[in-house]
Amino acid sequence: MKQEEILNLLLLRYPQLKKLPLVEAYAILSSTYHKGGKILLCGNGGCASDAEHIVGELMKGFLLERKLNNREKEKFGDIPGGSMIAANLQKAIPAISLNSQTSLMTAIGNDICFEMIYAQQVYAYGRKEDCLFVLSTSGKSENILAAVITAKALGIKSVCITGEGESPIGNLCDVKIALPSYETYLIQEYGLAVYHTLCAMLESDCFGG
């Protein structure tokens, strides 16, 4: 399906999301891929699980198979075992879940402070062609805010999924997807539908043609 069709399916199911800047968020993610950048993601609690979920959809086939083409497979042809590897590899949208780095996060938290566990990684991994994608139901998490501030200082675009209400994180991000609820579980339910749609749109853009 085309990107517009994928987005329209979401809005048919959730008409209350029609005014959200989903096209703008998709544009940043698409630009990141086409510039050779990567998507850095982070969240806390359930949002940390969402960040890992998104990485799982981006780094391998989601709705499409994403098989290597013959030219890409030829690079493996003369290496013992290479043909089998090439037959099973899938094209990826480079993405890293910052909250998956357990040893590093605990080292930063212990040696510096918990608020810096994501900012330090953004500073180390981040390049101008990258994108920071954060999830915070409250929009106020200090460690997420520190990561967004660091991204802004480095000239890295940022997108956030959050809830209604005052949002220091959303106010700093380039695109703020403020889902229509104050309840954490409802924000996360809407968020799942939104980020699945963004992943599908991005996959269609990068590998659908």
Side-chain angles (χ1 to χ4, degrees):
M1 285 190 293
K2 298 292 185 181
Q3 295 90 288
E4 300 90 313
E5 295 175 298
I6 295 167
L7 180 57
N8 286 337
L9 282 176
L10 171 73
L11 300 180
L12 281 173
R13 299 198 312 273
Y14 299 97
Q16 62 270 48
L17 304 181
K18 282 184 177 179
K19 294 184 179 180
L20 296 179
L22 302 180
V23 172
E24 292 84 348
Y26 158 73
I28 288 179
L29 297 172
S30 175
S31 176
T32 297
Y33 175 80
H34 290 293
K35 289 188 297 186
K38 57 189 175 292
I39 301 171
L40 305 175
L41 298 104
C42 60
N44 297 311
C47 290
S49 298
D50 287 328
E52 293 183 346
H53 188 159
I54 294 168
V55 170
E57 312 297 21
L58 296 179
M59 287 285 287
K60 51 171 281 300
F62 176 34
L63 301 178
L64 303 177
E65 288 188 327
R66 304 195 203 171
K67 290 182 178 181
L68 274 59
N69 60 39
N70 290 334
R71 185 177 59 187
E72 291 164 329
K73 290 179 180 178
E74 286 173 1
K75 299 175 182 178
F76 294 81
D78 296 330
I79 306 170
S83 296
M84 184 276 292
I85 300 295
N88 287 282
L89 281 174
Q90 298 181 0
K91 296 180 182 180
I93 298 165
I96 300 172
S97 170
L98 303 182
N99 45 257
S100 299
Q101 315 302 317
T102 307
S103 297
L104 176 57
M105 286 195 304
T106 53
I108 296 167
N110 186 61
D111 298 344
I112 306 172
C113 63
F114 183 77
E115 286 73 18
M116 294 299 293
I117 61 173
Y118 300 137
Q120 180 63 35
Q121 294 186 69
V122 171
Y123 184 77
Y125 290 132
R127 300 294 181 268
K128 284 189 176 181
E129 62 270 20
D130 295 340
C131 166
L132 177 65
F133 190 162
V134 303
L135 302 100
S136 172
T137 56
S138 71
K140 300 175 182 178
S141 303
E142 292 186 6
N143 55 0
I144 304 292
L145 180 59
V148 173
I149 290 171
T150 303
K152 185 166 286 291
L154 297 177
I156 296 170
K157 296 284 187 182
S158 56
V159 173
C160 76
I161 291 180
T162 186
E164 288 185 322
E166 176 58 27
S167 176
I169 291 169
N171 291 342
L172 276 179
C173 284
D174 294 283
V175 175
K176 171 187 174 183
I177 301 172
L179 300 170
S181 180
Y182 291 94
E183 292 286 352
T184 297
Y185 79 97
L186 287 176
I187 296 168
Q188 291 174 340
E189 285 183 17
Y190 286 136
L192 174 64
V194 165
Y195 67 67
H196 266 168
T197 295
L198 291 173
C199 288
M201 291 172 69
L202 191 57
E203 182 180 61
S204 173
D205 172 33
C206 299
F207 309 117

